[in-house]
């Protein structure tokens, strides 16, 4: 439901925090994919069921984490195993080799597939998918609004440089509005999420002496939310609707879509609508 002017005024009067800088995760938060087939057996071609702002049907939009899910399901099928979202939750936001070890261990593939072999198989399949990324609902509106109001923004993504280039090649205008981007293979990022390394590195690269309490992180992954909180920052979570609600804990706010975000709740300039 759209907010009224009174709602915005009340939120502005008592903001959750006084935010001056914003840091975005990328996969599942800024960028999504375009499905040409249902992402899971529980969702049919004709069902057209809306799940928050993401919908799954032939030609539906979903977050880029769906690329990884789709590919990992195919790899597991070779070993007659079924994908489990509780394992997915543990893998999200991690560096590639860390998530690969979790995948092999949790699905009992030791002796059948090494983490390195898993990454090699996954990589060849992902290369063909990444260029088809699309922006998720509400992303451009929020990014343009923050930029127009002089709010510095950064991206902190676990993707390494080659994947980042493939995913963003059709979205250069949006990423040009970011003050900077920190990637998973950056020298300052010693450990993947939930380590706070990537968010602290992103904060340090803003101009001036920025305090963690002034930074708002947007994330879709439980490990990313944990990383933001460990860094001393506020975290807004926009989770995949298939992720169990037990993984929402720790977030300062949980939204079904960036369309639901109200900047004034965080001391940021309100939308002019």
């Amino acid at each position: 439901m759209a907010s009224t002017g009174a709602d915005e005024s009340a939120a502005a009067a008592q903001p959750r925090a006084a935010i001056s800088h914003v840091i975005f995760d990328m996969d599942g938060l800024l960028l999504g994919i375009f499905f040409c087939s249902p992402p899971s057996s529980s969702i049919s071609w004709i069902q057209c069921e809306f799940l928050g702002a993401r919908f799954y049907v032939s030609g539906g939009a979903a977050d880029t984490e769906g690329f990884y899910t789709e590919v990992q399901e195919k790899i597991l099928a070779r070993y007659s195993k079924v994908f489990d979202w509780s394992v997915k939750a543990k893998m999200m936001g991690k560096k590639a080799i860390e998530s690969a070890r979790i995948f092999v261990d949790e699905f009992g593939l030791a002796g059948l597939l090494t983490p390195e072999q898993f990454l090699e198989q996954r990589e060849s399949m992902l290369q063909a998918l990444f260029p088809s990324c699309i922006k998720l609902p509400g992303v451009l509106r929020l990014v343009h609004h923050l930029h127009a109001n002089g709010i510095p923004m950064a991206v902190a993504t676990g993707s390494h440089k080659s994947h980042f280039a493939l995913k963003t090649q059709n979205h250069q205008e949006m990423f040009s509005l970011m003050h900077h981007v920190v990637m998973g293979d950056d020298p300052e990022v010693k450990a993947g999420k939930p380590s706070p390394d990537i968010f602290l590195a992103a904060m340090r690269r803003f101009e001036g002496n920025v305090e963690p309490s002034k930074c708002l992180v947007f994330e879709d992954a439980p490990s990313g939310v944990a990383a933001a909180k460990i860094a001393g920052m506020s975290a807004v979570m926009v989770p995949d609707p298939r992720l169990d609600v037990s993984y929402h804990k720790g977030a300062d706010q949980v939204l079904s879509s960036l369309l639901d975000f109200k900047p004034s709740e965080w001391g940021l300039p309100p939308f002019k609508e």
Side-chain angles (χ1 to χ4, degrees):
M1 180 181 296
S3 63
T4 64
D7 290 336
E8 283 281 270
S9 297
Q14 293 183 321
R16 294 169 181 263
I19 298 301
S20 61
H21 294 69
V22 170
I23 303 174
F24 293 103
D25 176 42
M26 185 174 72
D27 291 317
L29 197 288
L30 294 178
L31 297 182
I33 64 176
F34 192 83
F35 276 114
C36 293
S37 60
S40 75
S41 59
S42 63
I43 302 168
S44 70
W45 281 86
I46 60 175
Q47 187 176 8
C48 196
E49 178 180 0
F50 281 79
L51 303 172
R54 298 165 178 146
F55 57 96
Y56 299 100
V57 65
S58 178
D63 63 66
T64 41
E65 283 289 345
F67 283 139
Y68 297 92
T69 301
E70 179 181 347
V71 167
Q72 286 156 189
E73 284 177 338
K74 290 179 179 179
I75 293 174
L76 284 173
R78 298 170 183 170
Y79 301 94
S80 301
K81 295 182 180 290
V82 180
F83 190 76
D84 185 325
W85 264 81
S86 65
V87 178
K88 171 76 170 181
K90 296 177 183 179
M91 296 174 65
M92 292 172 71
K94 304 284 188 181
K95 286 197 171 187
I97 191 62
E98 294 176 85
S99 66
R101 292 188 185 113
I102 293 170
F103 183 89
V104 170
D105 291 342
E106 293 287 339
F107 289 111
L109 297 175
L112 300 173
L113 183 72
T114 67
E116 291 76 15
Q117 289 170 332
F118 163 70
L119 289 177
E120 184 178 347
Q121 291 181 25
R122 190 180 73 169
E123 181 67 18
S124 62
M125 300 165 77
L126 288 173
Q127 290 283 339
L129 294 173
F130 283 150
S132 62
C133 287
I134 61 171
K135 301 175 190 72
L136 285 173
V139 167
L140 269 185
R141 176 192 183 216
L142 178 57
V143 169
H144 283 158
H145 172 74
L146 295 175
H147 183 262
N149 284 277
I151 305 300
M153 299 172 286
V155 171
T157 174
S159 293
H160 54 70
K161 290 180 182 178
S162 61
H163 282 184
F164 180 83
L166 287 170
K167 294 171 184 176
T168 63
Q169 63 184 25
N170 297 317
H171 308 288
Q172 293 300 307
E173 184 271 337
M174 181 177 75
F175 284 91
S176 72
L177 302 181
M178 301 296 168
H179 185 273
H180 57 273
V181 176
V182 181
M183 297 173 223
D185 53 356
D186 188 284
E188 285 192 47
V189 182
K190 306 300 182 184
K193 303 168 187 176
S195 163
D197 287 4
I198 196 165
F199 291 131
L200 292 174
M203 179 190 70
R204 287 192 292 267
R205 294 180 193 180
F206 285 122
E207 296 174 12
N209 186 21
V210 181
E211 295 293 327
S213 62
K214 299 291 186 180
C215 296
L216 180 61
V217 172
F218 287 88
E219 262 284 355
D220 70 311
S223 61
V225 170
K229 298 304 294 180
I230 294 170
M233 303 174 184
S234 296
V236 172
M237 188 180 196
V238 188
D240 189 294
R242 294 169 291 181
L243 188 68
D244 190 85
V245 295
S246 63
Y247 292 104
H248 296 179
K249 61 184 179 182
D252 295 291
Q253 185 177 43
V254 180
L255 305 175
S256 61
S257 162
L258 284 181
L259 290 170
D260 299 327
F261 181 68
K262 297 179 177 65
S264 57
E265 291 185 355
W266 294 93
L268 295 166
F271 288 123
K272 295 179 180 179
E273 296 177 353

